[in-house]
């Protein structure tokens, strides 16, 4: 058994021969059970990477290995069983007329028995707290609810990896919060690799590792903590620093150094408390 879930070995890709390389000699490894964020400016190749991970696209150079299997036209179905994707626009991912039909769709395609199918639908809707909406029409749900159903659809096929490609970017703050909560719960309940592609750095706080893409190349591999302590790096690639990180960095300028770099308000407050009241 290998410990790596997804490997990119010197992968290059372009959409056609007369266009520039979108990914240029990209290598990295994502280990089993890891939660990895992929960030980077618009057009840096993040969505292309996601599509290469489940065989929607094939590399022009290099190899992609998913759970020990090389991604080729031949292995595509096996790979898609292992890697599920949730996309940006909730309205584009529905095929069923009810929530139940919709979650069933991926299962029907895979020839799963009816009884097992019903159980999986039930379990995955429960995991995203949408059990009460079984017979609702998907297009009448809120944006956040739609994305939760989309996540249920992926969970139902029991993949090893779930990729969320800007899955919250079209939602209002409430919808975003719902999805972040759901994702955290799903991660706790399932043995699953999560890959979060996002522009919102608040979404990377809980991840184990961050891959920063820049112009089709891996620019940096780091942790959220490291990344937040280096505002300059983030600004260089046009990403906004989360509030807590900004505050901690400004305190550092005032000679109030908080170590390690706080990831959330609680960590910041606890550190200040200890610093000043020694509790
Ligand atoms: N179907 C396509 N045909 C041709 N070029 C494409 C296609 N899809 C993407 N591209 C180009 O490939 C490059 C990388 O696009 P990609 O969508 O992977 O970037 P991204 O990092 O996901 O960007 P964003 O943050 O805007 O989602 C861009 O220059 C884009 O214009
Ligand atoms: Mg994209």
């Amino acid at each position: 058994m290998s410990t790596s879930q997804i490997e990119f070995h010197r992968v290059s890709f372009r959409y056609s021969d007369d266009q520039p390389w979108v990914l240029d000699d990209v290598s990295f490894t994502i280990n089993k059970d890891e939660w990895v964020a992929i960030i980077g400016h618009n057009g840096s190749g993040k969505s292309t990477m996601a599509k290469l991970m489940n065989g929607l696209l094939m590399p022009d150079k290099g190899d992609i290995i998913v759970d020990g299997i090389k991604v080729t036209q031949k292995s595509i179905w096996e790979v898609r069983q292992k890697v599920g994707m949730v996309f940006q626009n909730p309205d584009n991912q529905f095929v069923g007329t009810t929530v139940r039909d919709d979650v069933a769709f991926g299962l029907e395609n895979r020839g799963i028995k009816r009884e097992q199918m019903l159980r999986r639908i039930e379990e995955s809707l429960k995991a995203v707290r949408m059990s009460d909406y079984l017979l609702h029409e998907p297009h009448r749900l809120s944006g956040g609810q739609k994305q939760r159903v989309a996540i249920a659809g992926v969970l139902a096929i029991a993949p090893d990896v779930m990729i969320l490609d800007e899955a919250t970017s079209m939602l209002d703050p409430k919808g975003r919060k719902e999805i972040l909560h759901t994702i955290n719960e799903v991660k706790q309940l399932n043995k699953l690799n999560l890959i979060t592609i996002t522009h919102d750095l608040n979404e990377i706080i809980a991840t184990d590792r961050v891959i920063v893409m820049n112009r089709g190349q891996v620019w940096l591999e780091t942790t959220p903590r490291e990344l937040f302590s280096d505002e300059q790096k983030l600004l260089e690639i046009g990403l906004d620093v989360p509030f807590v990180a900004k505050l901690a960095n400004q305190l550092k300028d005032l000679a109030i150094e908080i170590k390690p770099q706080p990831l959330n308000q609680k960590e910041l407050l606890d550190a200040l408390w200890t610093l000043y009241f020694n509790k």
Side-chain angles (χ1 to χ4, degrees):
M1 279 277 286
S2 86
T3 55
S4 66
Q5 184 66 52
I6 294 183
E7 296 167 40
F8 270 47
H9 294 284
R10 311 205 63 176
V11 171
S12 294
F13 175 86
R14 58 184 165 184
Y15 282 92
S16 68
D17 291 347
D18 56 356
Q19 282 183 350
W21 293 101
V22 167
L23 292 182
D24 180 12
D25 200 7
V26 169
S27 301
F28 61 85
T29 298
I30 293 176
N31 295 318
K32 288 197 166 140
D33 287 339
E34 232 185 345
W35 184 355
V36 173
I38 301 176
I39 62 174
H41 61 82
N42 289 112
S44 56
K46 304 179 300 293
S47 295
T48 304
M49 267 160 74
K51 288 174 189 156
L52 286 160
M53 286 178 195
N54 85 339
L56 282 171
L57 297 170
M58 290 289 160
D60 293 311
K61 296 185 200 168
D63 292 321
I64 296 168
I65 316 284
V66 174
D67 198 16
I69 302 163
K70 184 172 158 182
V71 182
T72 61
Q73 289 297 345
K74 251 184 161 172
S75 66
I76 248 180
W77 291 109
E78 206 178 340
V79 168
R80 287 199 190 144
Q81 175 65 46
K82 291 176 184 291
V83 183
M85 286 232 240
V86 180
F87 295 100
Q88 180 172 44
N89 189 340
D91 289 318
N92 290 348
Q93 12 200 350
F94 289 113
V95 283
T97 50
T98 63
V99 165
R100 183 177 61 194
D101 286 356
D102 200 82
V103 177
F105 181 75
L107 298 173
E108 279 165 355
N109 268 350
R110 288 171 171 79
I112 289 167
K113 285 200 192 83
R114 192 181 149 74
E115 213 166 275
Q116 194 186 1
M117 203 158 96
L118 290 173
R119 201 178 61 239
R120 287 233 201 140
I121 293 169
E122 212 172 279
E123 281 169 4
S124 47
L125 283 171
K126 193 168 157 215
V128 301
R129 300 185 193 276
M130 285 296 287
S131 305
D132 294 344
Y133 293 82
L134 207 61
L135 299 175
H136 283 232
E137 292 172 46
H139 72 268
R140 286 179 190 271
L141 302 174
S142 74
Q145 290 173 329
K146 283 178 186 167
Q147 285 302 59
R148 273 148 68 196
V149 173
I151 291 172
V154 171
L155 286 179
I157 61 168
D160 298 327
V161 183
M162 178 155 66
I163 305 175
L164 300 135
D165 188 357
E166 313 264 2
T168 67
S169 64
M170 296 185 77
L171 306 178
D172 58 17
K174 181 167 171 276
R176 276 185 187 210
K177 233 181 181 168
E178 265 174 37
I179 293 301
L180 285 185
H181 185 73
T182 302
I183 294 168
N184 275 300
E185 279 191 345
V186 161
K187 175 69 184 161
Q188 275 165 23
L189 286 173
N190 298 265
K191 258 180 91 69
L192 190 72
N193 270 103
L194 282 178
I195 300 176
T196 304
I197 299 175
T198 184
H199 281 106
D200 182 352
L201 290 192
N202 291 306
E203 290 183 20
I204 76 169
I205 290 171
T207 65
D208 301 312
R209 207 150 59 85
V210 187
I211 297 176
V212 187
M213 295 299 294
N214 190 28
R215 298 169 189 250
Q217 295 189 315
V218 175
W219 189 62
L220 188 67
E221 284 190 59
T222 183
T223 60
R225 237 181 254 286
E226 279 289 316
L227 189 66
F228 292 158
S229 65
D230 197 343
E231 256 184 82
Q232 200 49 41
K233 271 222 163 65
L234 287 166
L235 293 175
E236 265 174 54
I237 46 167
L239 291 167
D240 208 15
V241 188
F243 176 72
V244 167
K246 235 183 224 169
L247 191 57
N249 295 337
Q250 284 180 11
L251 286 170
K252 201 186 325 178
D253 293 342
L254 299 171
I256 303 169
E257 186 153 13
I258 303 208
K259 273 189 167 170
Q261 174 81 15
L263 282 175
N264 52 45
Q265 204 169 332
K266 182 171 184 305
E267 284 187 9
L268 177 65
L269 283 176
D270 285 351
L272 281 173
W273 200 246
T274 313
L275 210 57
Y276 283 98
F277 300 101
N278 213 9
K279 293 223 168 167

